[in-house]
Amino acid sequence: MPKKAQSPKKCRRAPWDEYFMMIAVQAATRSTCDRKHVGAVIVRDKTILSTGYNGSVRGMPHCDDVGHIMENDHCVATVHAEANAIIQAAKNGVAINGADIYVTASPCWNCFKLIANSGIKRIFYGEFYRDKRIKDVAKTAKIELKRVKLPDVKYPDVLCDK
């Protein structure tokens, strides 16, 4: 009878929330606004439906290259990650009603409204960013807000014993 091979490292599988949040972190690496790199992943039934990151309007120069358009201490040249993920789903004919969204930073007020009206039921975020209104409105709208904390180390090393 053949012997079972032993792996050299003891590894764990990432929990689903951590897995999808790390994909959002990876999406954020495509961001073209160096003021804040944000990524988003829309998921239903443990299946990725769409991703997005904050970046310039399609066909326009990136603010990383030509500078920022600032209003009230915000760069308004970019489309936010959450909006881009919703837009990508719509553009590709993907229904997101009842889905979850994983975002590296909690949504701004405008993105929260888009998320709510798109039918997304749960928002998982990595860091809370600026707008406290979303907490009260989320309760009223029956949208769950949940923080997902990630380790401060690079994947996949965090998953394995050294």
Side-chain angles (χ1 to χ4, degrees):
M1 175 177 275
K3 288 186 176 184
K4 186 176 179 182
Q6 292 184 355
S7 68
K9 294 181 180 179
K10 174 104 174 136
C11 297
R12 70 171 178 87
R13 291 177 77 187
W16 285 109
D17 290 345
E18 192 175 298
Y19 170 74
F20 291 124
M21 187 59 75
M22 285 308 301
I23 294 171
V25 168
Q26 189 64 35
T29 67
R30 295 282 306 150
S31 294
T32 62
C33 181
D34 57 13
R35 290 182 47 81
K36 184 88 175 154
H37 290 193
V38 180
V41 179
I42 299 175
V43 175
R44 188 177 45 241
D45 299 327
K46 297 181 178 132
T47 301
I48 295 171
L49 303 176
S50 184
T51 63
Y53 54 87
N54 57 322
S56 297
V57 172
R58 198 176 292 268
M60 298 299 292
H62 304 301
C63 56
D64 281 357
D65 298 332
V66 297
H68 305 281
I69 300 172
M70 300 300 294
E71 290 179 12
N72 298 323
D73 200 34
H74 289 82
C75 177
V76 296
T78 61
V79 179
H80 289 188
E82 307 92 320
N84 271 325
I86 291 167
I87 291 163
Q88 283 301 113
K91 184 178 176 193
N92 292 304
V94 177
I96 58 173
N97 190 44
D100 301 332
I101 190 167
Y102 291 80
V103 191
T104 57
S106 62
C108 69
W109 180 239
N110 285 327
C111 285
F112 177 81
K113 293 184 289 184
L114 291 174
I115 291 167
N117 279 4
S118 73
I120 289 173
K121 296 299 179 193
R122 295 190 304 172
I123 301 169
F124 296 87
Y125 62 91
E127 68 170 291
F128 192 81
Y129 185 69
R130 295 189 187 229
D131 207 316
K132 294 182 170 80
R133 288 179 286 190
I134 68 171
K135 290 182 178 183
D136 293 330
V137 177
K139 285 180 189 173
T140 303
K142 296 183 173 62
I143 297 171
E144 182 182 342
L145 287 172
K146 182 179 178 187
R147 181 156 187 226
V148 176
K149 293 182 182 181
L150 295 175
D152 288 334
V153 293
K154 300 281 183 205
Y155 275 66
D157 291 341
V158 71
L159 301 176
C160 301
D161 294 334
K162 302 268 181 208

